[in-house]
């Protein structure tokens, strides 16, 4: 009886996996650990020493006053604030360990607890490879809407972080137009920057109009802000800290972005860069907890890499993969969720270089259990450019990486003793077995764009490479998928309230040429 019940539970679990497919958002990683427990502790202690002895440059401001009143030591001559150990540790104790980033569709909520892994877009690229010509051009507002529509369909891109800068929108209107275009393109969680503190209230007003009322939005805030509050090394950016303060007081989830570049704005020693990254992050966490204890935040340490021959930023490299996987370990050492970087490449086009550089970095951080893996889709040219077809390719890559994250399930059924016995004593084949038929959709990931045909069939189909196939797929999606995410009457109210520059006419079938 017990054996029969166990088999039923196994079959039920297998049935659930089959229903969900071989991969899904929020699978748990944590297998890859570049640092030992002792090394984690040493880096933590070193970061505390940096904060206590070197401190952070913070100019005369409300932020500095708040830290001073909480017990930090201020040197007004050097504009430096020194963080005592107990102040930092108290901040870590208060920090929210269970952050959920909501989407308008609850099926796309991001539960960032433990080692749960999500992949998504990112960046502030200023160039786009035009889908029709293949040539680089300036990014425009419509790209935010169109890329959002791609993300809305692609299953292994789990969130939408504003990927490009709308170069055709005036700076004073860019915040509201950026978020409007993103909200119109996808129902997944949206994250982006906010250039002006006063615009935080405007963004919340926009989202409230879409949500229906203020209470509905604050129950499930479907957008968040990523804020580069620190200029490495160890200097708070005054204007961005004002925006951070405003966002926290308004209840918006935030990512605390620290992105030191090894050998340029942080030590050439990779571990030294990690020490500085963690020190900068702990300073930000401490400040946020003084503003609003338990506020939902992501620890945003995303160390970058320099090519020391030129001083330029390196996108895809083993060093970047190592540091961001290690940053993930350190963040989980504090039981906090991480906003990190991966999926970068220095290649200018979707080619072999882009593939291997993206594969190295996304696999490393995902297997480390990084929660919010931004830049994981679409990026090219060291964060300067994106390509529509690259989102399709990276979605395909993301499925394979999430299969790695899922790992192997060892149980009575997967050990396959009866199946092996029957095949070995029978015709020696497994293709027609009941287990094979049952598991073909639950155990294996099948690419939607990568080609697995034999050469003859591939040639008969036109001998297209993956980039060409991805361009065709992206075009098909953009011609067909126009999500109705902002009702026309609400849209009219929004346009009466805000200077929206995205024409309503392109947000419906026939609007994409």
């Amino acid at each position: 009886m017990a054996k029969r019940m166990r088999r039923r539970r196994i079959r039920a679990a297998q049935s659930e996996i089959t229903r969900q497919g071989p991969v899904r958002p929020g699978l748990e990683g944590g297998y890859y650990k570049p640092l030992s427990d002792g090394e984690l502790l040493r880096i933590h202690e070193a970061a505390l020493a940096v904060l206590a002895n070197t401190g952070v440059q913070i100019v005369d401001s409300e932020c500095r006053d708040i830290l001073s009143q909480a017990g930090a030591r201020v040197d007004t001559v050097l504009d430096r604030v020194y963080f005592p150990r107990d102040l930092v540790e108290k901040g870590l104790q208060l920090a929210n360990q269970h952050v959920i980033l909501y989407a308008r569709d609850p099926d796309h909520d991001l539960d960032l607890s433990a080692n749960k892994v999500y992949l998504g877009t990112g960046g502030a690229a200023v160039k786009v490879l035009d889908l029709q010509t293949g040539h680089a051009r300036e990014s425009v507002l419509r790209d935010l809407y169109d890329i959002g529509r791609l993300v809305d369909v692609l299953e292994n891109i789990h969130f939408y972080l504003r990927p490009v800068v709308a170069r055709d929108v005036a700076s004073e209107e860019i915040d509201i137009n950026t978020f409007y275009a993103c909200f119109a393109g996808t129902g997944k969680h949206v994250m982006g920057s906010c250039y002006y503190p006063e615009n935080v209230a405007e963004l919340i007003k926009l989202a409230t109009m879409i949500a229906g009322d203020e209470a509905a939005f604050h129950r499930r805030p479907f957008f968040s802000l990523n804020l580069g509050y620190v200029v490495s090394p160890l200097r708070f950016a005054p204007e961005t800290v004002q925006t951070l303060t405003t966002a926290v007081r308004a209840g918006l989830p935030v990512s605390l972005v620290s992105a030191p570049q090894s050998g340029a704005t942080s030590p050439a020693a990779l571990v030294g860069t990690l020490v500085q990254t963690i020190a900068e992050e702990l300073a930000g966490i401490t400040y946020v907890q003084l503003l609003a204890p338990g506020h939902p935040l992501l620890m945003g340490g995303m160390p970058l890499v320099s090519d020391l021959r030129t001083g330029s930023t390196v996108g895809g490299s083993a060093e970047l993969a190592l540091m961001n996987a290690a940053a993930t370990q350190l963040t989980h050492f504090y039981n906090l969720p991480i906003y990190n970087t991966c999926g970068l490449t220095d290649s200018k086009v979707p080619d072999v270089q882009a593939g291997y550089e993206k594969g190295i970095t996304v696999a490393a951080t995902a297997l480390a259990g990084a929660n919010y893996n931004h830049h994981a889709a679409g990026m090219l040219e060291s964060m300067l450019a994106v390509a529509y077809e690259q989102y399709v390719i990276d979605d395909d890559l993301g499925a394979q990486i999430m299969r790695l994250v899922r790992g192997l399930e060892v149980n009575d059924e997967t050990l396959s003793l009866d199946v092996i016995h029957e095949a070995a004593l029978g015709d020696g084949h497994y293709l027609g077995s009941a287990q094979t038929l049952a598991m073909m959709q639950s155990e294996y990931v099948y690419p939607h764009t990568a080609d697995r045909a034999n050469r003859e069939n591939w040639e008969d189909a036109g001998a297209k490479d993956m980039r060409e196939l991805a361009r065709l797929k992206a075009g098909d999606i953009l011609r067909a998928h126009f999500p109705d995410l902002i009702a026309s009457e609400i849209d009219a109210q929004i346009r009466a309230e805000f200077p929206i520059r995205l024409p309503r006419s392109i947000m419906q079938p026939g609007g994409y040429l």
Side-chain angles (χ1 to χ4, degrees):
M1 175 65 77
K3 187 174 183 180
R4 200 159 45 239
M5 291 295 291
R6 186 170 65 253
R7 285 180 177 172
R8 285 178 185 170
R9 287 196 297 270
I10 291 168
R11 289 195 185 98
Q14 186 65 44
S15 175
E16 177 64 12
I17 291 171
T18 300
R19 185 186 69 79
Q20 295 178 332
V23 295
R24 57 192 179 277
L27 292 169
E28 291 209 25
Y31 311 112
Y32 176 45
K33 297 181 178 180
L35 297 170
S36 69
D37 290 346
E39 289 166 339
L40 290 171
L41 187 58
R42 288 192 69 182
I43 292 172
H44 166 66
E45 292 291 340
L48 291 178
V50 167
L51 289 175
N53 301 324
T54 304
V56 178
Q57 184 185 55
I58 303 175
V59 299
D60 187 13
S61 60
E62 181 188 21
C63 170
R64 193 167 83 177
D65 291 342
I66 289 171
L67 287 164
S68 176
Q69 291 165 12
R73 181 169 63 88
V74 177
D75 184 328
T76 57
V77 175
L78 297 177
D79 279 335
R80 299 204 75 80
V81 175
Y82 302 90
F83 291 68
R85 182 189 190 103
D86 61 343
L87 181 62
V88 178
E89 290 178 340
K90 183 178 179 181
L92 286 169
Q93 290 169 4
L94 294 172
N96 191 334
Q97 297 182 2
H98 188 186
V99 174
I100 297 175
L101 296 182
Y102 295 99
R104 278 180 279 175
D105 179 352
D107 287 343
H108 295 301
D109 289 352
L110 310 175
D111 178 356
L112 303 179
S113 58
N115 296 318
K116 293 177 181 176
V117 175
Y118 300 89
L119 309 176
T121 64
V126 295
K127 290 182 279 186
V128 173
L129 300 194
D130 189 88
L131 190 58
Q132 308 304 322
T133 68
H135 298 309
R137 59 166 173 78
E138 266 199 347
S139 52
V140 295
L141 182 62
R142 180 166 182 168
D143 291 313
L144 285 165
Y145 172 64
D146 286 341
I147 295 169
R149 292 192 293 131
L150 276 183
V151 168
D152 202 52
V153 170
L154 297 172
E155 293 183 357
N156 301 295
I157 302 179
H158 306 134
F159 57 83
Y160 190 38
L161 195 160
R162 177 278 328 262
V164 299
V165 176
R167 304 280 284 172
D168 57 339
V169 177
S171 59
E172 62 270 15
E173 297 178 355
I174 199 166
D175 288 336
I176 202 75
N177 276 279
T178 292
F179 278 91
Y180 173 85
C182 293
F183 294 154
T186 182
K188 296 179 181 179
H189 183 82
V190 171
M191 183 183 286
S193 299
C194 181
Y195 291 100
Y196 303 102
E198 58 270 23
N199 285 351
V200 171
E202 296 292 280
L203 295 177
I204 292 176
K205 186 175 183 180
L206 170 65
T208 296
M209 293 174 75
I210 294 171
D213 58 58
E214 190 171 351
F217 172 69
H218 283 293
R219 277 195 304 271
R220 294 178 53 84
F222 52 80
F223 84 94
S224 56
L225 297 179
N226 63 329
L227 298 169
Y229 67 102
V230 65
V231 178
S232 298
L234 296 160
R235 178 164 61 92
F236 274 12
E239 298 83 2
T240 310
V241 170
Q242 289 179 31
T243 304
L244 171 64
T245 303
T246 304
V248 170
R249 286 175 171 159
L252 283 179
V254 294
S255 293
L256 301 177
V257 182
S258 167
Q261 186 177 330
S262 64
T265 58
S266 61
L270 301 184
V271 170
T273 288
L274 286 171
V275 170
Q276 182 182 307
T277 303
I278 297 303
E280 290 172 346
E281 286 295 310
L282 293 180
I285 290 168
T286 301
Y287 176 59
V288 169
Q289 301 317 305
L290 292 172
L291 287 173
H295 183 81
L297 65 80
L298 278 65
M299 192 168 174
M302 43 169 281
L304 301 176
V305 176
S306 301
D307 186 321
L308 297 182
R309 299 168 299 181
T310 63
S312 62
T313 303
V314 175
S317 68
E319 294 87 0
L320 185 138
L322 269 171
M323 284 202 294
N324 279 272
T328 298
Q329 269 190 278
L330 285 156
T331 303
H332 291 162
F333 173 79
Y334 304 118
N335 293 316
L336 297 177
I338 184 170
Y339 162 109
N340 74 302
T341 188
C342 63
L344 300 178
T345 177
D346 300 303
S347 181
K348 316 308 178 286
V349 297
D351 60 5
V352 172
Q353 179 183 343
Y356 95 74
E357 291 181 342
K358 286 169 174 286
I360 289 171
T361 57
V362 181
T365 58
L367 288 173
N371 307 107
Y372 192 91
N373 292 273
H374 87 298
H375 294 137
M379 301 302 297
L380 294 166
E381 198 179 343
S382 301
M383 297 185 280
L384 290 175
V386 300
Y388 282 88
E389 62 267 35
Q390 190 66 62
Y391 290 98
V392 175
I393 293 169
D394 290 343
D395 180 74
D396 222 1
L397 172 64
Q400 300 295 328
I401 287 172
M402 291 302 286
R403 184 63 188 89
L404 287 176
V405 172
R406 178 183 150 195
L408 299 170
E409 294 88 25
V410 179
N411 54 49
D412 288 351
E413 186 173 1
T414 62
L415 288 169
S416 307
L417 298 182
D418 292 342
V419 178
I420 294 168
H421 183 77
E422 290 172 10
L425 298 184
D427 59 11
H429 291 286
Y430 294 89
L431 280 176
S433 76
Q435 185 197 60
T436 299
L437 294 173
M439 289 190 167
M440 65 181 297
Q441 298 300 330
S442 63
E443 193 84 337
Y444 298 88
V445 170
Y446 303 100
H448 56 60
T449 305
D451 183 81
R452 289 180 173 178
N454 62 38
R455 179 170 291 275
E456 290 75 18
N457 291 340
W458 174 69
E459 289 175 345
D460 289 344
K464 297 179 178 67
D465 65 17
M466 190 174 185
R467 181 182 181 185
E468 190 172 357
L469 290 171
R471 288 176 70 181
L472 292 171
K473 186 176 180 71
D476 289 344
I477 293 171
L478 292 175
R479 280 185 290 272
H481 183 62
F482 291 86
D484 186 17
L485 295 170
I486 304 176
S488 58
E489 61 273 17
I490 300 299
D491 192 66
Q493 295 172 23
I494 290 171
R495 290 173 185 273
E497 182 72 27
F498 301 108
I500 301 301
R501 303 305 177 191
L502 190 71
R504 179 75 184 180
S505 60
I506 72 170
M507 297 164 56
Q508 52 197 348
Y512 181 78
L513 301 178

